[in-house]
Amino acid sequence: MSDYKTILRQCQKRDRRAQLEFYMLFYKGVYNSAYRILGNPQEAEEVMQETFLKVFDRIEDYDGEVSNMERILKRIAINHAIDLYRKRKIQFISLEDNIYVTTEENNEDETEMQLQLIADKLKQLPEGYRLVLNLHLIEGLKYEEIAQMMQLTPSTVRSQFARARNKLIGLIKTPSPHEQFIK
Amino acid sequence: MSNLLNEKIKNQAEIFDTALPPFGHFERFEERLERHEQRKNRHARRWIIVTSAAATLALILMFQYFYPIRIPSATTDSIKEVTTYYNRQLQQQINDIEQNINLVNEPERDEILKDITDMENESQKLDKKVPGITEEEYIAYIISRYNMQLESLEHIQTILKSLPNSKKQNL
């Protein structure tokens, strides 16, 4: 397999093989960014493909390191996915009530917390909460950036994030009936 | 706990990239990339054709602007044809009148000759189109003018034709 810079140069020459190598290099991260927002494999794949085609159309404008390119690809995918998400007309704000809110004085003894458990519990969160946690914690977007994408105010995003995080902590601390049975 | 959770997730975000696209995604992308490139090439070709056509048209228009092709003026020709036709008829009538003009006495003769001269002068001016009206309108105008002149000349002729008989009778 060629190194990234060679692949990029060949992509700029519209070399099909290099374009496919480029795809293989980044598809997983791009797909996951879209999938975390949309929660639908087909839609996430569509977003992923669109993202690569968009980048190939303007590949001459890009240069630099792999990490930069990954960031660019993920950002394009996230923007596209959020556009799709908004088209579904899901009310982002409508998830305020009926949540289990833990307080800051919770026990700090979390050393045994497993990331796999977090990932599983993230999936159980309501869509709006999952989205804001994904964008801020996993994708590393700032509140202001999320607010702009979602057409909300940063303070709304911040409070939504706080609620989502508390809900996640609550889920982590409360084992599901299935988990209790195993214990 | 909140901060710990934040840190844990942020530091190992890539661990969450566990999902895989549906089976066959690579082949589907390959096909889509192919279609995308073909469409782009088609657009590029169309763009080249359209811009070439536009450039050619612009060149033709510029050439026409700087070196206008002189198309013979149909307007001038049509007016000339009409004036030539009527002038010929007028001239024939005038010739006929001049043959018989001696039959009338001098003051009347002078008057008739003056009228004829005026008519000739007027008819000479008619082949120049007046600006501001269409060709058809102008042709209709000059025909009406010529017809009036011909009617006047015919009237004079009728009088002249009737004169010799009376003169003869008088003589």
Side-chain angles (χ1 to χ4, degrees), chain B residues 4-63:
Chain B
L4 186 65
L5 179 72
N6 287 5
E7 289 309 308
K8 256 188 187 295
I9 297 175
K10 273 184 179 173
N11 292 340
Q12 300 185 65
E14 65 279 4
I15 285 181
F16 292 90
D17 287 349
T18 51
L20 284 173
F23 180 75
H25 68 96
F26 182 78
E27 290 76 16
R28 282 192 294 279
F29 179 71
E30 202 175 358
E31 280 172 25
R32 189 160 175 190
L33 184 62
E34 178 69 36
R35 283 200 306 274
H36 182 75
E37 292 292 330
Q38 280 175 358
R39 198 178 316 133
K40 254 177 57 182
N41 291 340
R42 264 203 309 277
H43 283 169
R45 270 201 300 274
R46 201 175 299 157
W47 190 83
I48 290 168
I49 291 167
V50 170
T51 47
S52 310
T56 312
L57 184 68
L59 271 175
I60 291 169
L61 289 174
M62 272 174 62
F63 189 80

Side-chain angles (χ1 to χ4, degrees), chain A residues 122-134:
Chain A
L122 257 174
K123 286 176 193 162
Q124 293 172 24
L125 283 174
E127 204 169 9
Y129 284 169
R130 199 176 64 235
L131 180 66
V132 78
L133 280 178
N134 278 329

Side-chain angles (χ1 to χ4, degrees), chain B residues 131-145:
Chain B
I133 58 169
T134 65
E135 181 196 344
E136 286 78 17
E137 284 169 345
Y138 188 67
I139 289 173
Y141 167 73
I142 59 175
I143 288 172
S144 71
R145 293 301 303 165

Side-chain angles (χ1 to χ4, degrees), chain A residues 61-106:
Chain A
D61 301 345
Y62 302 113
D63 211 345
E65 299 304 313
V66 182
S67 56
N68 282 347
M69 180 52 79
E70 185 160 27
R71 199 169 42 80
I72 291 165
L73 282 163
K74 281 188 162 191
R75 182 57 68 91
I76 295 171
I78 289 167
N79 282 334
H80 195 155
I82 286 181
D83 282 346
L84 271 183
Y85 179 87
R86 281 190 1 230
K87 276 181 197 159
R88 288 187 195 157
K89 293 179 181 169
I90 290 172
Q91 285 296 310
F92 186 67
I93 303 298
S94 65
L95 301 162
E96 293 191 6
D97 302 320
N98 303 321
I99 58 167
Y100 173 73
V101 179
T102 56
T103 55
E104 289 297 320
E105 68 249 22
N106 280 326

Side-chain angles (χ1 to χ4, degrees), chain A residues 52-177:
Chain A
F52 280 104
L53 294 179
K54 244 182 217 174
V55 168
F56 286 155
D57 281 348
R58 302 189 60 184
I59 195 84
E60 297 80 11
D61 301 345
Y62 302 113
D63 211 345
E65 299 304 313
V66 182
S67 56
N68 282 347
M69 180 52 79
E70 185 160 27
R71 199 169 42 80
I72 291 165
L73 282 163
K74 281 188 162 191
R75 182 57 68 91
I76 295 171
I78 289 167
N79 282 334
H80 195 155
I82 286 181
D83 282 346
L84 271 183
Y85 179 87
R86 281 190 1 230
K87 276 181 197 159
R88 288 187 195 157
K89 293 179 181 169
I90 290 172
Q91 285 296 310
F92 186 67
I93 303 298
S94 65
L95 301 162
E96 293 191 6
D97 302 320
N98 303 321
I99 58 167
Y100 173 73
V101 179
T102 56
T103 55
E104 289 297 320
E105 68 249 22
N106 280 326
N107 189 354
E108 288 285 329
D109 181 23
E110 302 297 335
T111 45
E112 74 277 13
M113 193 192 286
Q114 295 297 309
L115 283 165
Q116 187 52 50
L117 178 67
I118 298 171
D120 289 344
K121 297 296 178 185
L122 257 174
K123 286 176 193 162
Q124 293 172 24
L125 283 174
E127 204 169 9
Y129 284 169
R130 199 176 64 235
L131 180 66
V132 78
L133 280 178
N134 278 329
L135 292 176
H136 185 64
L137 292 179
I138 301 174
E139 306 299 350
L141 300 186
K142 292 176 183 150
Y143 294 127
E144 289 75 17
E145 291 173 312
I146 300 169
Q148 201 178 4
M149 285 174 173
M150 304 298 298
Q151 296 179 347
L152 298 167
T153 61
S155 60
T156 306
V157 174
R158 208 172 282 118
S159 63
Q160 192 82 358
F161 174 77
R163 288 193 191 99
R165 188 182 52 194
N166 286 340
K167 173 82 173 170
L168 178 65
I169 293 167
L171 283 173
I172 291 164
K173 296 185 101 185
T174 314
S176 64

